[in-house]
Amino acid sequence: MQFIKFILDLGPTVMMPIIIMLLGLLFRQGFPKAFRSGLTIGIGFAGIFLVIGMLTSNLSPATQAMVTNWGLHLDVMDVGWPIAAAISFGTPIVPAVFALGLFINVIMLAMNWTKTMDIDLWNYWHFIYAGALVMYLTNNAIMGIIASGITIIIILKLADWTQPYLVKVFDMPGISLPHTESVSWAPVGIFLNSLIDKIPGINKIDINPVKIQERFGVFGEPMLIGLVLGAFIGSLAGYDIKGIVQLSVNMAAVLFLMPRMVRILMEGLLPLSESGREYLNKRFPGKEVFIGLDAAVVIGHPSVMAVCLLMIPITLLLAAVLPGNRILPFTDLAGLPFCLLWAVAPTKGNVFRGLIISTILMVAILYIATDLAPVTTLMAKGVNFPFPEGTAAISSLDGGAHLIPYILYKIVELFH
């Protein structure tokens, strides 16, 4: 546990370069090339997380202002994904799930049951979270570990299934996204998109930033879209002119910088992908392997960001009007691109369809987050999570987005 904690405390920006370098050496890259690939990927991730930090630090005050201005009062506080991660890493099943996850992935690769090699060890907390939910429900660590194992298998299969979208929509060959709160919703998003295909009139509407840019040139660029959406969010937050302009420019910066940070990451990843393909073709002719990464590498796509910025006020409105909803969206509003990625990807970047599907998914996420509030509150007390003053119950939108763990939790609850 101490060793795992040390590795995790390094963070993705340090951990990923080490993993990439070791994989490069395994694939006979040579130390200089493997070292450069690893360091470049670390720099790419550092850049991505800096931009995400900019997004969060600017949107959090705006969302807090909207909550205050709109007079929203709900009894479950959205404390964000860190609570789910803290709960996960605070449970005793952590070492067992790490060992199990690596074992399952290696066996599935060897048996051709998956093409995804999940090197995103930091986000193993998603699998641990599934186990933690079941463990707290049953008071049985073995049941929790089994739930984690089932989650790992399902997520790896979903990562394989959705990989073609990463090529078509995001132009990222050789990569898959075994990211639980994202890819869990892929079947739902793909199904809803196929339903929209059958609705006359609606199926012809296509609002796509790429096509807008082709038509309007500089006025359709992602940074201009960020500028406009930043002004819209600032206006809803009740900001003055200065605040609106600052938020607008920062959102323009996010949409401008994110694709460039991803490009840096890909510069380091492509040599590894090529070396891995050559290595595997020599020893296992015809075998294809995808590198499993954090969904952070694609959330900067203009369509994803446009939909998720528009979903901030829509999410607050849904929280206010949905009967039975108890969670007050707050911290995780800045993380909506992770939760709603697969509302946009199946549409090939169509913002109109993405908004429709995102709204439907968000209704489900709010209800799941509300349903998980009692067990989340119990688990948070178990790891001594510091509760916000005056808050009796907590949950998170991110926790509500963990669809596969939630389904397993409800199945066990049914028979427990």
Side-chain angles (χ1 to χ4, degrees):
M1 186 66 189
Q2 288 301 315
F3 176 72
I4 290 171
K5 188 175 186 305
F6 172 76
I7 296 296
L8 292 173
D9 285 346
L10 292 174
T13 54
V14 176
M15 191 169 65
M16 291 300 289
I18 294 171
I19 294 170
I20 295 298
M21 186 181 71
L22 291 174
L23 283 172
L25 293 174
L26 174 68
F27 295 148
R28 305 289 191 268
Q29 247 184 1
F31 181 78
K33 193 174 181 181
F35 178 77
R36 189 184 188 283
S37 288
L39 188 57
T40 304
I41 284 172
I43 292 167
F45 265 109
I48 287 169
F49 290 129
L50 281 172
V51 178
I52 291 173
M54 177 190 283
L55 176 72
T56 304
S57 63
N58 280 277
L59 284 182
S60 290
T63 55
Q64 187 172 14
M66 272 190 270
V67 168
T68 303
N69 294 343
W70 296 7
L72 295 179
H73 299 287
L74 296 160
D75 68 330
V76 176
M77 173 61 75
D78 166 25
V79 293
W81 67 265
I83 176 58
I87 288 168
S88 301
F89 289 136
T91 56
I93 63 172
V94 173
V97 174
F98 263 89
L100 181 66
L102 293 170
F103 176 75
I104 287 175
N105 200 176
V106 169
I107 293 297
M108 289 181 70
L109 281 168
M111 301 298 292
N112 289 321
W113 294 338
T114 185
K115 295 180 180 180
T116 294
M117 179 170 57
D118 186 4
I119 64 171
D120 185 21
L121 298 184
W122 164 253
N123 282 317
Y124 265 45
W125 76 259
H126 296 169
F127 309 141
I128 301 165
Y129 179 66
L133 285 173
V134 172
M135 189 187 79
Y136 271 84
L137 174 65
T138 62
N139 200 28
N140 186 321
I142 300 298
M143 289 291 292
I145 294 168
I146 291 171
S148 293
I150 294 170
T151 302
I152 292 165
I153 293 168
I154 294 172
I155 295 302
L156 288 174
K157 296 301 291 183
L158 286 175
D160 289 345
W161 182 54
T162 55
Q163 196 277 335
Y165 288 93
L166 298 190
V167 180
K168 293 176 191 172
V169 182
F170 304 112
D171 192 26
M172 299 188 80
I175 291 171
S176 64
L177 304 178
H179 204 247
T180 308
E181 76 258 51
S182 301
V183 78
S184 290
W185 294 98
V188 184
I190 292 168
F191 171 72
L192 291 174
N193 185 60
S194 68
L195 285 185
I196 295 174
D197 278 334
K198 296 176 172 60
I199 304 174
I202 299 293
N203 59 7
K204 301 295 183 186
I205 301 173
D206 186 6
I207 303 173
N208 190 309
V210 175
K211 293 179 180 178
I212 290 172
Q213 185 175 350
E214 288 173 357
R215 183 171 179 181
F216 296 103
V218 66
F219 294 105
E221 287 189 20
M223 61 180 174
L224 267 297
I225 294 170
L227 192 77
V228 172
L229 291 176
F232 175 64
I233 296 293
S235 300
L236 291 178
Y239 281 4
D240 58 16
I241 295 298
K242 176 186 173 184
I244 290 173
V245 171
Q246 287 176 332
L247 183 60
S248 297
V249 173
N250 282 322
M251 289 304 98
V254 167
L255 264 71
F256 180 83
L257 290 172
M258 187 70 87
R260 282 156 177 76
M261 297 303 106
V262 172
R263 216 169 291 152
I264 293 171
L265 183 140
M266 291 301 295
E267 183 185 326
L269 197 62
L270 285 175
L272 174 74
S273 183
E274 290 165 7
S275 300
R277 196 174 294 113
E278 290 172 12
Y279 177 85
L280 290 168
N281 280 338
K282 284 179 185 176
R283 288 156 181 79
F284 310 99
K287 191 177 183 69
E288 187 178 24
V289 174
F290 307 136
I291 306 296
L293 293 178
D294 190 318
V297 300
V298 298
I299 65 166
H301 189 278
S303 295
V304 176
M305 292 303 302
V307 167
C308 291
L309 287 173
L310 290 169
M311 279 303 297
I312 290 174
I314 292 172
T315 300
L316 288 170
L317 182 63
L318 288 172
V321 302
L322 284 176
N325 173 65
R326 293 173 54 206
I327 186 168
L328 177 63
F330 179 53
T331 306
D332 273 337
L333 285 171
L336 289 185
F338 292 96
C339 303
L340 300 176
L341 169 64
W342 287 100
V344 183
T347 72
K348 298 179 182 177
N350 186 333
V351 172
F352 176 76
R353 288 192 183 198
L355 270 176
I356 293 173
I357 298 171
S358 292
T359 302
I360 296 169
L361 296 194
M362 186 49 64
V363 171
I365 289 170
L366 286 168
Y367 279 130
I368 292 172
T370 295
D371 191 42
L372 288 175
V375 69
T376 304
T377 303
L378 179 67
M379 291 193 294
K381 289 177 180 176
V383 297
N384 297 315
F385 181 83
F387 278 59
E389 188 176 345
T391 301
I394 60 171
S395 188
S396 67
L397 294 181
D398 184 271
H402 280 75
L403 180 61
I404 301 301
Y406 176 71
I407 291 171
L408 291 173
Y409 169 80
K410 295 306 285 185
I411 291 171
V412 174
E413 186 182 52
L414 191 64
F415 294 100
H416 180 59

